[in-house]
Amino acid sequence: ILSLTAADCFSNDYGTAEMTVSGGTLPYTFSWSNGESSSQATALYPGLNYVTITDANGCSQTREVMVDYVVVDAKPEVNNVFTPNNDGHNDMWNIKFLELYPENEVVVINRWGNEVFTAKNYANNWDGSQLAEGTYFYVLKVKICKEWQEFTGYVTILR
């Protein structure tokens, strides 16, 4: 019997699997394709993995174990207007669900094509106070399951 946990690409690159064996002669030995040697493997990469189970008589069987990624469907949602006027409401540029994508990059560009704000691992902490009221273009890149995805649009600063 196989119990399997998919790899979570947002916190680590590994899945887990545990084999429960019946039949044969105790004790059993386990040899996983990642080098682990107990009934439970805790560092399986997404994709096809193998486990060979051998009993005390030397009888062995090899099983395939497919580990998938867990994918969160929540894409970043960019707030396209914010008001950095220190009134305690909407003072920071907020990107909803960004905490799911700690590996990210953001660039804000003015109407003349100049970068006016750049951040790696942005954490919804920019108030835009050094910029004039207006509309700016942004490029947001987030790493989703080892691949970068790009989101673009406009953000308006009002005072």
Side-chain angles (χ1 to χ4, degrees):
I1 299 172
L2 172 67
S3 300
L4 185 65
T5 303
D8 177 355
C9 66
F10 297 104
S11 61
N12 64 58
D13 293 333
Y14 305 112
T16 62
E18 184 169 1
M19 295 295 299
T20 304
V21 181
S22 61
T25 305
L26 293 171
Y28 306 111
T29 60
F30 299 85
S31 177
W32 292 88
S33 53
N34 69 350
E36 293 186 55
S37 60
S38 70
S39 63
Q40 182 180 31
T42 58
L44 297 174
Y45 285 104
L48 196 56
N49 295 268
Y50 300 92
V51 59
T52 300
I53 305 153
T54 306
D55 74 1
N57 295 325
C59 297
S60 65
Q61 249 186 15
T62 299
R63 298 283 182 180
E64 293 181 350
V65 179
M66 178 60 76
V67 176
D68 292 321
Y69 269 131
V70 171
V71 178
V72 175
D73 291 332
K75 300 287 186 208
E77 293 178 15
V78 180
N79 182 6
N80 62 355
V81 177
F82 71 108
T83 58
N85 57 10
N86 294 317
D87 67 356
H89 301 287
N90 203 26
D91 287 331
M92 300 289 183
W93 186 39
N94 187 38
I95 301 172
K96 191 174 180 180
F97 305 121
L98 193 61
E99 69 277 2
L100 299 174
Y101 309 97
E103 198 167 347
N104 65 68
E105 297 177 7
V106 65
V107 175
V108 178
I109 301 166
N110 66 16
R111 63 183 172 173
W112 297 282
N114 300 320
E115 289 183 10
V116 294
F117 176 73
T118 303
K120 288 189 178 199
N121 307 321
Y122 179 63
N124 290 326
N125 56 353
W126 180 55
D127 69 2
S129 61
Q130 75 279 16
L131 297 179
E133 194 172 86
T135 300
Y136 298 83
F137 182 74
Y138 70 83
V139 177
L140 170 65
K141 295 179 184 178
V142 296
K143 197 167 192 181
I144 302 176
C145 299
K146 295 188 177 185
E147 292 184 19
W148 287 93
Q149 288 193 17
E150 185 173 286
F151 300 87
T152 60
Y154 293 92
V155 59
T156 301
I157 296 175
L158 299 175
R159 300 210 196 284

